[in-house]
Amino acid sequence: MVVVKFGGTSVGAVPQIDQAARIVHSIYESRPIVVVSAMGGVTDALLHAGEAALAGQTQNRDDKLSEIRGRHDRAINELFKNRNIVHELQDTHRILWEEMHKVFTGVSLLREMSPRSRDLISSFGERLIVPIFARYLKEMGVEAEPVDAREIIVTSEDSEFLLVDFEETKKRCQKLSKMAKSSVVPVVTGFICSTPAGITTTLGRGGSDYSASIIGSCVKADEIQIWTDVNGVMTADPRIVPDARVLDRVSYKEAAEMSYFGAKVLHPQTIMPAVDENIPIRIKNTFAPDVPGTLISAETPLHQYSVKTVTSIIGMTLVSVEGRGMIGVPGVAGRVFTTTARNRISVLMFSQGSSEQHISLVVNRQDGDNTVKALRREFEQEVDRRRIDRITSVSDIAIIALVGEGIKGVPGVAARAFGVLGSANINILMIAQGSSELNLSIVVRQKDAPRAVQLIHEAFELNK
Ligand code: ADP
Ligand code: ASP
Ligand code: MG
């Protein structure tokens, strides 16, 4: 059994849908379970329509919604010559359009969009495309049925931190295995899931990759395939480094680090479920299916160069706690972490100077102000007594991460990276090396990030 996920560009319009369906057809024998994302750009458009409703811009809201409707209607009309099928799909969609109408009217009337409303609004993209894709497979002679992932993937009770209830999800995935075993291809909505009370929620932006690996691990698939618009995992984001190269093999650890630090090709949480069951993940290009792609698994042959990829993540804020009075005071770092945890702020990077005079952490921009406020409250007494001189933040920060199993034990990686940034006058604000030694992270100003990525890519000859 294999789980096969198609991203937004792979189902973005009729020729792409046709191409993706042909791929499923060609692997029908290996009993695929298919996971599909919304048509490219639809989730964004839905959220923009939501923002318009929130702002009271009814016309703008309706324009966005008609655009979405137009794309799906066109796809249906172009894909199916048989009018009965067109009507059948229009009936299925009518129910969704009616629900959307109610939801968006609700936002317009209340002028309020809670996280729960946002999740429901963003769920429609996947729910609209799945019936079309499943029906198209049927036309091709592949027995297929649409499946709403809200019946399959369930989160645990604590909904503030989204955690998947794997035990319950595994039980519900039996339905998918049964279908696959009887040669019916389940076509599952990516990205969406539900709480134990049945409320619609999502796995976060780009979360369809995670849907595929959750399902893959629950059905113990032989492989999880992520079909996208590039030939595989590359040495850098090809939009930043045009001569980035495709990697044949990447380890789970490397893939997890890269996606955590901004490689959009995989949602950061995709790796864990696959690791648990030791299921290989293959990244493939929908538009070049013969290219072998990238295999992500437990092992990777060491690359000739110690660094394998360089990624960047922007939109960060750097928060610093400084003061000579911190020297020798135990527990400052511990209290920093307790404070961020209590306020549900996730810390992407942390470093403490060996002199203990300086603690720095990187958080998402939207958490920046909150982090400073919470730390000032926590260390109020220390600030009063001048043990801590200041707690400050700098926004518009980026993290550049050099990732590769080979970094371990290879001297000079940091020196080379710092050297090349130094000669280009790019100021380094903070550095950290994971204890796994798999990753070297460098904080720079956001405006310097693309150049920094290009320079490091070049310095480590990653294009060769
Ligand atoms: P999908 O819609 O298929 O999920 P995404 O847009 O989410 O596709 O992810 C694929 C994109 O990720 C590529 O088009 C590429 O621009 C980007 N990307 C960023 N970093 C990398 C990388 N290191 N390797 C490959 N692609 C990357
Ligand atoms: N459609 C969702 C998004 O745009 C999920 C995904 O593409 O993986 O974020
Ligand atoms: Mg994606």
Side-chain angles (χ1 to χ4, degrees), residues 106-261:
V107 174
S108 292
L109 287 174
L110 295 167
R111 301 286 297 271
E112 180 184 84
M113 187 160 62
S114 64
R116 194 183 274 190
S117 315
R118 277 183 88 82
D119 276 347
L120 183 58
I121 283 175
S122 53
S123 76
F124 288 103
E126 274 70 11
R127 292 162 65 197
L128 284 165
I129 190 66
V130 155
I132 302 179
F133 195 74
R135 195 65 190 77
Y136 192 62
L137 282 174
K138 243 182 176 168
E139 275 302 279
M140 264 189 182
V142 173
E143 206 45 55
E145 286 294 334
V147 177
D148 189 322
R150 293 174 299 173
E151 291 164 19
I152 306 288
I153 302 177
V154 198
T155 62
S156 53
E157 211 61 69
D158 179 2
S159 56
E160 230 177 305
F161 269 133
L162 189 133
L163 290 176
V164 172
D165 179 348
F166 274 89
E167 210 174 307
E168 180 58 29
T169 302
K170 197 175 270 177
K171 276 189 215 146
R172 297 186 182 202
C173 275
Q174 283 171 5
K175 172 181 170 175
L176 305 179
S177 320
K178 276 197 199 124
M179 287 170 79
K181 276 181 194 141
S182 52
S183 296
V184 177
V185 176
V187 181
V188 189
T189 52
F191 181 51
I192 65 176
C193 54
S194 72
T195 68
I199 291 159
T200 301
T201 148
T202 71
L203 297 168
R205 294 307 307 272
S208 300
D209 303 327
Y210 189 30
S211 309
S213 78
I214 293 168
I215 293 170
S217 82
C218 288
V219 304
K220 296 197 194 304
D222 300 303
E223 187 168 281
I224 297 162
Q225 298 179 355
I226 307 287
W227 290 81
T228 182
D229 61 351
V230 282
N231 282 343
V233 175
M234 304 176 83
T235 49
D237 184 340
R239 287 165 301 186
I240 298 176
V241 182
D243 67 343
R245 193 172 49 82
V246 176
L247 296 158
D248 330 325
R249 303 277 309 252
V250 169
S251 73
Y252 286 135
K253 284 186 192 160
E254 289 168 336
E257 292 282 332
M258 310 175 51
S259 54
Y260 181 77
F261 286 111

Side-chain angles (χ1 to χ4, degrees), residues 343-384:
N343 289 279
R344 302 198 176 250
I345 294 163
S346 79
V347 177
L348 280 97
M349 229 174 119
F350 178 88
S351 95
Q352 176 170 27
S354 53
S355 65
E356 298 184 37
Q357 287 180 35
H358 200 133
I359 286 176
S360 308
L361 44 152
V362 179
V363 298
N364 283 307
R365 178 166 38 209
Q366 65 267 27
D367 291 331
D369 288 345
N370 234 346
T371 310
V372 171
K373 270 192 212 133
L375 289 174
R376 284 191 179 144
R377 235 176 297 138
E378 171 69 25
F379 291 106
E380 206 174 355
Q381 288 193 1
E382 285 80 356
V383 173
D384 282 348

Side-chain angles (χ1 to χ4, degrees), residues 41-98:
V42 165
T43 312
D44 281 331
L46 285 163
L47 288 167
H48 289 148
E51 298 295 342
L54 183 64
Q57 302 161 356
T58 319
Q59 189 59 47
N60 188 4
R61 174 199 76 184
D62 292 344
D63 290 348
K64 295 252 158 31
L65 292 175
S66 335
E67 228 175 274
I68 298 172
R69 186 165 189 164
R71 275 183 76 182
H72 289 88
D73 283 346
R74 263 196 308 283
I76 294 175
N77 281 309
E78 286 174 32
L79 284 167
F80 304 99
K81 297 294 158 250
N82 181 337
R83 295 313 292 172
N84 289 335
I85 301 175
V86 171
H87 291 144
E88 181 197 310
L89 283 167
Q90 282 170 342
D91 286 344
T92 308
H93 271 188
R94 191 164 303 119
I95 299 168
L96 290 171
W97 300 125
E98 278 166 14

